[in-house]
Amino acid sequence: MAEQTQTSHAAPKSFIRKYIFSTDHKVIGIQYFFLALIAALTGMVMSLLIRLRLAWPANRWPMLEAIFPEGFKDGLMQPEFYLAMVTMHGTIMVFMVLTTAPQSGFGNYFLPIQIGARDMAFPVLNMLSFWITFLSFVVLIAALFVVGGAPLGGWTFYPTLSAIPSTGPGQALGADLWIVSIALFCVASLLTALNFITTVLNMRTSGMTLMRMPLSCWGWFTTAVIALLAFPVLLAAGILLLLDRNAGTGFFIPSGLSVSGNLVPNGGGSTLLWQHLFWFFGHPEVYIAILPGMGATSHILATFARKPVFGHKAMVVAMFAIGLLGFFVWGHHMFISGMNPSVAIAFSVLTLVIGVPSAIKTFNWLGTLWGGRIRFTTPMLFAIGFVSLFVAGGVTGLVLGQTALDVVFHDTYFVTGHFHLIMGVAAIFGIFAATYYWFPKMFARMMNEGLGKLHFWLTFVGVYAIFVPFHVLGIAGHPRRYADSTGYEFLRALDPLHVFITIAAFATAAAQLIFLANFFWSLFKGKRATDNPWEATTLEWSTATPVPHENFGEQLPVVHRMPYEYSVPGAERDFLMQND
Amino acid sequence: MPATLTPTRRDEPAFGDGGRGFDDLPGYGGGDNNRPPEPERQPPPEGYRIGVWLVLASVTMLFSALISAYVVNRAHSMPIEMPEVLWLSTIVILTSSVTMEISRRALKRRLENQFRLWISVTTALGAAFLVLQLIAWSELKAAGFYVNKNLHSGYSYLFTGLHGVHLIGGLAALAFVTWRNQAKWTTVRRRVAVDATASYWHFLDGLWVFLFLILFFWK
């Protein structure tokens, strides 16, 4: 274990120690951010390929055949390729983007600064976590190109097909690499979580009580607690699946199974076991993706509404309540698995109870905005967009949490629409809000506001244009994951909707180019940022821009007040810094 | 006030069982003569202790998941022969916990030589335990219980193997606290590190007893 350092160390001089194998939490945060950016672009391109197939299943794409000769035989997208894209899109987005950027990226950069520490508790461990995550990403991408085809079991990777390599395309080496990649990711996430929790508990500066921590820190802290308890379970499931595939055990394979007329020799296990283990991790994972966004949103709404967060303590409690309840609702992913109805009722009730802390958060966000002197900057717009998407995706969660309705909607596009709005796009909006908000501190330059607002409006309208029709598809009974719905007469009427969604998806993807252009232009040519451009109150804005090595000068700041003291009566400015 | 007493007292805050918490620990990071005194508040040396408790939480989750799988699979009901050598390895790891505790207490009383002696004995016992586990594997194999013989044998290899992997981590921690250059850390930090290693070691000991019971004595 790394020695914790808080005492001054000279800044590393060599390029490799400074930028590649750095133990500085700020460099590691930026490394995570760029890894997530690359992953997000990869995942987005994959989603566009998925949309191509769904809108025009019979069309030939000779240009794409030149890039993917196997996947586009004769220019036609093969169903296996389609399923591989669905699998990899899901895996990359959930793990490499939604888990990586908001938590490990922004959390790494700003958690130590916001609590007034010089670095994470275990800097060497922190560096290891990043490089294991990087390795995990490389292994995942390698799975796309191996003999036997890319994995196509979906990001949930249900056995029994995924437990038996001989069951068809994509179940050979590609599937093994997928599992290895996820196992590595679990280890890296555990190290990160361990580091975050220790840092919060042990490294706060004088006067920084737990309740004085900004809500963004509470988001990262809660997420780390969830990750610490959820990822080991996925790791366990991955180890069992790897043994089933390579050591001839049968933990997930029922007895007497035959594949293509051949009896599978190993067996005696349970297919449903995987679903229990996977979703015990999988549901908390949803909160791992969204809670840092909730924290950042609270932080940003207060800054630009020029008001303290409404119900600060309630926000903290609600966040922890969501995290805790998340461990007891995994069964709602399995309502159609033949579960005992009274067990299903218990899972259903617990699921609906999550609506209570979620509503507390929503009302408190609105309460924060209420009567504020709102500054509509780009980060503020994205934070408000986050609230909008959280509500829009959340209400369908209440629909799906009810057993009777879920039995109908399960495995339709309704579910896809629900989780894309709340877990996908809402979390992405949290990432965008955080990017626009903290860019000045991270890169010492401002992003362009005009381009930022254009990016916001196009993306905001775009994601609703994509995902609201998903719900319509689902209500009409359109199943998920089908590469081809042309064979089903009752789905023919929905073809124009698929075309509409695909066009909206391409337009929204194009809007992200505005973001990229803005990001890289601002990185080099943007207006120089001052130390506190947003007139915010927390410690990251009290230190210099760019942030010096070990974050603060000679002396660590001493905290005297709560994090969001805006519009304080009688104060000289309309805000008081935490260390004023 | 005698000048020599002050650093000693600064070096000996009341922590450990019944300690006074983090914030009132006097002089964290003190006692390091190479650096000028720093007015700034240092993070308490509790980092290792917190870190280890978090590791234990996540290892507990890992094995809870696997044991749940073991129960759901009803693997315990499948016939398998217990390798007799596991009795010996259980005795060895239980003894190693005792020697770990002796060495931890020796350090607390600043008996450096005793500390080194007993922590070396602990390391040797840990290594011996790993060898005995490997012998147990070969006994299982000799009796025809390969990893894919049935679910019970599969879980036996998995549990012993994963426990062994975690034990290797424990051996690394033991080597770290034994051999790390003492000039590089303060007495307080070193003691917290040894305490943390001891917690991890006792946990692995208890975990092994639990796995041993559930694998071979739960019918």
Side-chain angles (χ1 to χ4, degrees):
Chain A
M1 207 175 287
E3 162 80 313
Q4 28 175 341
T5 98
Q6 183 94 345
T7 43
S8 329
H9 283 145
K13 292 281 187 292
S14 77
F15 179 82
I16 288 186
R17 293 285 297 162
K18 199 169 175 184
Y19 296 110
I20 312 286
F21 295 106
S22 172
T23 55
D24 184 341
H25 70 101
K26 298 188 286 296
V27 177
I28 295 170
I30 290 176
Q31 286 173 328
Y32 269 118
F33 178 83
F34 279 105
L35 177 68
L37 189 65
I38 292 167
L41 292 174
T42 317
M44 192 178 76
V45 169
M46 288 171 170
S47 71
L48 295 179
L49 290 171
I50 295 169
R51 288 312 317 169
L52 275 187
R53 165 92 200 189
L54 288 170
W56 301 288
N59 209 347
R60 288 174 197 278
W61 313 92
M63 259 170 66
L64 289 170
E65 191 187 359
I67 309 173
F68 308 103
E70 286 283 309
F72 284 83
K73 271 205 188 89
D74 302 325
L76 268 180
M77 192 191 293
Q78 303 299 305
E80 293 81 14
F81 184 82
Y82 169 86
L83 286 174
M85 286 299 110
V86 170
T87 304
M88 297 303 271
H89 166 77
T91 311
I92 288 178
M93 287 302 198
V94 169
F95 291 102
M96 303 296 166
V97 181
L98 299 178
T99 310
T100 301
Q103 176 77 358
S104 309
F106 291 109
N108 245 315
Y109 199 109
F110 287 104
L111 178 83
I113 309 185
Q114 285 190 338
I115 62 170
R118 298 225 180 264
D119 204 321
M120 282 285 180
F122 308 113
V124 177
L125 218 57
N126 204 11
M127 174 182 80
L128 270 178
S129 334
F130 172 75
W131 285 105
I132 296 174
T133 310
F134 182 80
L135 183 65
S136 153
F137 181 64
V138 171
V139 172
L140 187 61
I141 295 297
L144 270 174
F145 300 103
V146 291
V147 182
L152 41 69
W155 86 280
T156 54
F157 233 65
Y158 280 4
T160 37
L161 289 183
S162 65
I164 305 166
S166 61
T167 44
Q171 304 293 8
L173 183 58
D176 285 321
L177 289 180
W178 186 94
I179 302 167
V180 168
S181 159
I182 296 308
L184 286 172
F185 192 87
C186 290
V187 173
S189 300
L190 286 171
L191 297 183
T192 306
L194 167 78
N195 221 337
F196 273 46
I197 299 172
T198 312
T199 306
V200 166
L201 293 182
N202 201 38
M203 311 278 283
R204 281 168 289 126
T205 186
S206 308
M208 181 60 83
T209 60
L210 283 174
M211 270 303 154
R212 280 185 186 162
M213 287 201 308
L215 287 174
S216 44
C217 288
W218 273 106
W220 294 317
F221 179 60
T222 316
T223 305
V225 173
I226 302 173
L228 188 84
L229 300 176
F231 272 108
V233 179
L234 181 64
L235 183 59
I239 292 169
L240 292 175
L241 191 58
L242 215 50
L243 285 175
D244 270 5
R245 295 175 51 80
N246 297 302
T249 55
F251 302 123
F252 299 123
I253 304 170
S255 303
L257 189 74
S258 68
V259 171
S260 319
N262 303 316
L263 192 70
V264 177
N266 42 339
S270 153
T271 308
L272 273 184
L273 173 61
W274 169 270
Q275 295 192 24
H276 282 291
L277 292 174
F278 183 87
W279 288 117
F280 186 88
F281 151 80
H283 197 79
E285 164 62 30
V286 176
Y287 299 127
I288 291 173
I290 196 97
L291 283 177
M294 288 185 179
T297 296
S298 311
H299 193 71
I300 292 166
L301 286 181
T303 306
F304 295 109
R306 313 307 293 170
K307 276 181 67 190
V309 168
F310 185 88
H312 187 94
K313 204 174 225 172
M315 292 298 252
V316 173
V317 173
M319 198 131 50
F320 249 90
I322 292 174
L324 182 73
L325 285 169
F327 281 101
F328 304 102
V329 298
W330 78 91
H332 71 215
H333 297 270
M334 301 167 61
F335 281 151
I336 60 160
S337 67
M339 167 186 292
N340 181 333
S342 42
V343 177
I345 289 287
F347 277 123
S348 176
V349 170
L350 281 164
T351 304
L352 299 181
V353 166
I354 296 183
V356 176
S358 306
I360 291 174
K361 293 204 76 76
T362 308
F363 286 126
N364 284 0
W365 285 323
L366 298 180
T368 306
L369 291 173
W370 183 267
R373 284 174 293 121
I374 299 178
R375 299 176 181 174
F376 285 105
T377 57
T378 310
M380 182 62 162
L381 290 177
F382 272 103
I384 296 173
F386 175 94
V387 177
S388 160
L389 287 157
F390 182 68
V391 173
V395 287
T396 49
L398 294 176
V399 174
L400 290 171
Q402 301 174 55
T403 324
L405 290 171
D406 182 79
V407 168
V408 179
F409 287 129
H410 200 94
D411 264 334
T412 69
Y413 271 87
F414 194 87
V415 177
T416 322
H418 158 71
F419 73 70
H420 270 92
L421 276 183
I422 195 157
M423 179 203 190
V425 189
I428 294 274
F429 267 52
I431 298 173
F432 277 136
T435 308
Y436 282 103
Y437 180 74
W438 278 311
F439 187 92
K441 199 41 94 174
M442 292 169 86
F443 302 108
R445 289 177 188 272
M446 307 296 289
M447 285 183 81
N448 184 298
E449 276 289 303
L451 286 177
K453 282 175 182 157
L454 182 67
H455 171 225
F456 167 77
W457 285 111
L458 291 175
T459 310
F460 188 67
V461 175
V463 292
Y464 273 115
I466 298 168
F467 294 112
V468 170
F470 269 52
H471 297 82
V472 179
L473 287 176
I475 292 168
H478 197 312
R480 297 165 71 174
R481 298 198 184 93
Y482 283 25
D484 209 334
S485 56
T486 42
Y488 304 90
E489 202 43 53
F490 76 106
L491 295 176
R492 302 304 310 177
L494 299 169
D495 286 351
L497 205 52
H498 269 309
V499 175
F500 173 80
I501 295 172
T502 299
I503 291 169
F506 272 86
T508 313
Q512 305 319 303
L513 299 178
I514 301 174
F515 168 74
L516 283 182
N518 190 357
F519 185 89
F520 285 103
W521 183 84
S522 305
L523 203 54
F524 300 104
K525 300 277 181 194
K527 202 177 79 181
R528 289 265 174 209
T530 55
D531 286 355
N532 189 1
W534 308 121
E535 303 187 299
T537 54
T538 43
L539 290 183
E540 78 266 34
W541 305 107
S542 72
T543 186
T545 299
V547 184
H549 181 67
E550 304 210 314
N551 302 342
F552 302 96
E554 291 281 292
Q555 197 80 36
L556 283 180
V558 177
V559 170
H560 302 293
R561 44 187 96 249
M562 291 293 281
Y564 306 112
E565 306 243 321
Y566 294 100
S567 308
V568 183
E572 270 176 47
R573 299 173 295 183
D574 81 330
F575 64 103
L576 287 171
M577 305 286 289
Q578 276 193 286
N579 56 340
D580 272 348
Chain B
M1 191 167 61
T4 48
L5 249 183
T6 317
T8 318
R9 289 180 59 83
R10 272 164 55 80
D11 223 58
E12 287 265 286
F15 78 104
D17 302 322
R20 281 181 286 144
F22 310 147
D23 282 313
D24 48 7
L25 273 174
Y28 340 106
D32 191 338
N33 299 325
N34 302 329
R35 282 190 208 110
E38 293 177 19
E40 173 174 311
R41 176 185 179 276
Q42 291 294 304
E46 299 297 320
Y48 290 124
R49 208 194 298 276
I50 299 172
V52 155
W53 280 104
L54 297 175
V55 168
L56 297 188
S58 80
V59 176
T60 304
M61 287 305 288
L62 177 72
F63 278 94
S64 305
L66 290 171
I67 291 167
S68 314
Y70 180 77
V71 174
V72 169
N73 276 159
R74 302 188 55 76
H76 61 279
S77 58
M78 296 170 192
I80 179 176
E81 230 169 76
M82 187 189 96
E84 294 296 321
V85 68
L86 286 179
W87 283 111
L88 187 58
S89 66
T90 307
I91 293 167
V92 165
I93 197 170
L94 284 173
T95 316
S96 78
S97 248
V98 175
T99 58
M100 180 78 233
E101 203 51 26
I102 296 173
S103 79
R104 193 176 74 88
R105 290 181 185 194
L107 186 71
K108 214 170 182 176
R109 284 181 286 137
R110 296 166 167 261
L111 302 170
E112 184 67 29
N113 288 336
Q114 279 211 31
F115 164 72
R116 285 190 176 267
L117 168 70
W118 287 107
I119 206 158
S120 311
V121 172
T122 310
T123 314
L125 286 173
F129 173 81
L130 281 182
V131 173
L132 291 171
Q133 297 296 82
L134 285 176
I135 294 171
W137 276 16
S138 65
E139 276 186 21
L140 268 178
K141 214 170 83 179
F145 293 106
Y146 298 102
V147 68
N148 59 354
K149 168 83 176 176
N150 61 29
L151 292 183
H152 198 166
S153 70
Y155 278 111
S156 305
Y157 282 100
L158 178 61
F159 286 170
T160 47
L162 264 185
H163 179 266
V165 168
H166 284 87
L167 200 96
I168 290 172
L171 288 176
L174 284 175
F176 179 73
V177 294
T178 316
W179 299 113
R180 183 159 199 238
N181 184 356
Q182 279 189 51
K184 282 196 171 169
W185 52 1
T186 62
T187 315
V188 174
R189 265 176 213 284
R190 178 152 173 251
R191 250 174 47 187
V192 176
V194 171
D195 283 358
T197 310
S199 306
Y200 185 70
W201 197 261
H202 295 326
F203 174 84
L204 285 185
D205 183 357
L207 177 64
W208 167 251
V209 173
F210 185 67
L211 292 175
F212 184 51
L213 290 175
I214 204 169
L215 275 175
F216 300 108
F217 294 91
W218 181 43
K219 302 292 176 197

